[in-house]
Coordinates of all heavy atoms in Angstrom, one line a residue:
V122 N 112.9 111.9 142.9 CA 113.5 112.8 143.9 C 114.5 112.0 144.7 O 114.3 110.8 145.0 CB 112.4 113.3 144.9 CG1 113.0 114.1 146.0 CG2 111.3 114.1 144.1
G123 N 115.7 112.6 145.0 CA 116.7 112.0 145.8 C 117.1 112.9 146.9 O 117.2 114.1 146.8
Y124 N 117.2 112.3 148.1 CA 117.7 113.0 149.3 C 119.1 112.7 149.7 O 119.6 111.6 149.4 CB 116.7 112.7 150.5 CG 115.2 112.9 150.2 CD1 114.3 111.9 150.1 CD2 114.8 114.2 150.0 CE1 113.0 112.1 149.8 CE2 113.4 114.5 149.7 CZ 112.6 113.4 149.6 OH 111.2 113.7 149.4
L125 N 119.7 113.7 150.2 CA 121.2 113.5 150.6 C 121.4 112.3 151.5 O 122.4 111.5 151.3 CB 121.7 114.8 151.3 CG 121.9 116.0 150.4 CD1 122.4 117.2 151.3 CD2 122.9 115.7 149.3
E126 N 120.5 112.1 152.4 CA 120.7 111.0 153.4 C 120.2 109.7 152.9 O 120.3 108.7 153.6 CB 120.0 111.4 154.7 CG 118.5 111.5 154.7 CD 118.0 112.9 154.3 OE1 118.7 113.6 153.6 OE2 116.8 113.2 154.7
D127 N 119.6 109.6 151.7 CA 119.1 108.4 151.2 C 119.8 107.9 150.0 O 120.0 108.6 149.0 CB 117.6 108.6 150.9 CG 116.8 107.3 150.7 OD1 117.5 106.2 150.5 OD2 115.6 107.3 150.8
D128 N 120.3 106.6 150.0 CA 121.0 106.1 148.9 C 120.1 105.8 147.7 O 120.5 105.6 146.6 CB 121.7 104.8 149.3 CG 123.0 105.1 150.2 OD1 123.5 106.2 150.1 OD2 123.3 104.2 150.9
D129 N 118.8 105.7 148.0 CA 117.8 105.3 146.9 C 116.9 106.4 146.5 O 116.3 107.1 147.4 CB 116.9 104.1 147.4 CG 117.7 102.9 147.8 OD1 118.6 102.6 147.0 OD2 117.4 102.2 148.8
D130 N 116.8 106.7 145.2 CA 115.9 107.7 144.7 C 114.5 107.2 144.9 O 114.2 106.0 144.9 CB 116.2 108.0 143.3 CG 117.4 108.8 143.1 OD1 117.9 109.4 144.1 OD2 117.9 108.9 141.9
K131 N 113.5 108.2 144.9 CA 112.1 107.9 145.0 C 111.4 108.5 143.8 O 111.9 109.4 143.2 CB 111.5 108.4 146.3 CG 112.3 107.9 147.6 CD 111.6 108.5 148.8 CE 112.4 108.2 150.1 NZ 112.6 106.7 150.3

Side-chain angles (χ1 to χ4, degrees):
V122 177
Y124 303 114
L125 288 176
E126 65 271 28
D127 195 340
D128 289 335
D129 299 321
D130 286 344
K131 304 179 186 301

